Amino acid sequence: MSKTKIQWTERTWNPVTGCSKVSEGCRHCYAEIMAKRLQGMGQQRYANAFSLTIHPNALDEPKQVKKPSMFFVCSMADLFNKDVPFEFVDKVMEVIDDTPRHTYQLLTKRPKRMVEYFYYHRHGIPFNLWLGTTVEGPDYKIRICQLRALPTSNVKYLSCEPLLGDLGNLDLSGIDLVIVGGESGPQARPMQKQWVLNIMRQCEEQCVNFFFKQWGTFGEDGVKRNKKANGCTIDGKTYQTIIL
């Protein structure tokens, strides 16, 4: 458990690490690169690098934080990977239930399995849990419908990062927040400004929060450079306020 520089959260909590690739957004997975680096540094939690590993001893970490905090659950994994038993997901949910002072953000590329879990295995979703799915390109828009299938008033959000294509027309009914960001790293694929503007416009029209995280390796002008130099503004304006 640690503080993080991810702009839309405060802390990360990883009772599971490691994953398997399921879609195009996984191709240059930042978590996989980081896990291998941490393995090389001798960190015991990453002894298996990016092979899926369950960490029961990490379950109670949020209980040690007294200050109400925002936790990104499994920033180094996908809790709804098919190889994570629902019985262990139950334990994660118990911790979330037991720490109502915190808010938890759960992001998955497998919303179908998330729906299966909450519909057929565990009835009831912790009130302090945000539910999110990644939609990196038009081929994955079905995930929005799967997320929306959960009949709950919990915050539902989309992460369009890395954004790899134009999402076209979007039905954002039932969605509270859309996070957009470009890919980083030496093999990064460019994100076009028009794709970003299309999402931003539809968020404004449908009264959905829009959060722009970063341009990544390719800037607003399409030029490849350091991601810090490319920044996180659109036409000189920052969109990083979440009002729910």
Side-chain angles (χ1 to χ4, degrees):
M1 177 184 63
S2 61
K3 293 185 178 181
T4 179
K5 295 181 180 179
I6 299 173
Q7 297 96 318
W8 45 266
T9 194
E10 295 175 333
R11 295 176 176 270
T12 57
W13 173 39
N14 283 289
V16 180
T17 58
C19 200
S20 55
K21 292 176 169 43
V22 70
S23 61
E24 269 303 306
C26 303
R27 184 183 293 189
H28 305 141
C29 178
Y30 80 91
E32 181 177 17
I33 295 169
M34 187 180 298
K36 290 178 179 177
R37 184 182 304 143
L38 292 170
Q39 180 193 41
M41 294 167 59
Q43 291 207 15
Q44 186 58 38
R45 186 172 294 190
Y46 296 93
N48 297 328
F50 205 55
S51 296
L52 193 145
T53 307
I54 291 171
H55 303 280
N57 61 342
L59 279 169
D60 286 341
E61 288 179 348
K63 296 181 180 180
Q64 301 166 16
V65 179
K66 302 306 179 184
K67 179 183 176 182
S69 301
M70 187 82 76
F71 280 90
F72 180 14
V73 183
C74 291
S75 65
M76 298 291 289
D78 188 330
L79 187 63
F80 289 102
N81 189 300
K82 63 180 177 59
D83 294 324
V84 179
F86 279 167
E87 289 71 24
F88 188 76
V89 180
D90 284 340
K91 296 181 185 299
V92 173
M93 294 300 150
E94 288 170 9
V95 174
I96 295 174
D97 276 327
D98 291 343
T99 51
R101 64 186 176 277
H102 298 318
T103 301
Y104 295 86
Q105 298 160 307
L106 183 58
L107 182 64
T108 182
K109 287 187 175 71
R110 300 163 172 87
K112 184 177 180 180
R113 192 165 191 263
M114 180 167 67
V115 171
E116 178 187 351
Y117 172 77
F118 284 117
Y119 254 113
Y120 303 110
H121 183 83
R122 184 193 198 271
H123 296 291
I125 302 172
F127 77 93
N128 53 335
L129 177 62
W130 293 16
L131 304 169
T133 191
T134 302
V135 183
E136 65 265 46
D139 291 344
Y140 309 107
K141 288 166 64 173
I142 184 63
R143 293 174 182 165
I144 304 174
C145 299
Q146 292 166 343
L147 176 65
R148 192 162 39 227
L150 288 168
T152 174
S153 59
N154 293 59
V155 171
K156 296 188 182 76
Y157 70 104
L158 308 180
S159 174
C160 302
E161 185 188 14
L163 183 60
L164 302 175
D166 188 352
L167 296 186
N169 293 328
L170 292 168
D171 176 3
L172 297 175
S173 57
I175 304 301
D176 301 286
L177 167 68
V178 179
I179 300 166
V180 177
E183 193 168 38
S184 300
Q187 297 178 295
R189 292 157 285 184
M191 175 177 67
Q192 294 183 22
K193 182 177 179 179
Q194 190 56 44
W195 303 344
V196 178
L197 294 178
N198 181 47
I199 296 173
M200 182 170 70
R201 174 185 56 79
Q202 293 185 79
C203 285
E204 291 174 351
E205 292 173 351
Q206 300 181 52
C207 299
V208 174
N209 278 268
F210 173 81
F211 188 104
F212 186 67
K213 183 182 171 187
Q214 64 175 22
W215 284 101
T217 297
F218 288 86
E220 185 174 16
D221 56 3
V223 176
K224 188 175 184 178
R225 58 171 77 87
N226 183 282
K227 73 173 184 178
K228 289 184 179 180
N230 285 327
C232 60
T233 63
I234 303 172
D235 294 326
K237 185 175 180 180
T238 301
Y239 298 85
Q240 293 192 345
T241 301
I242 300 175
I243 303 174
L244 299 173

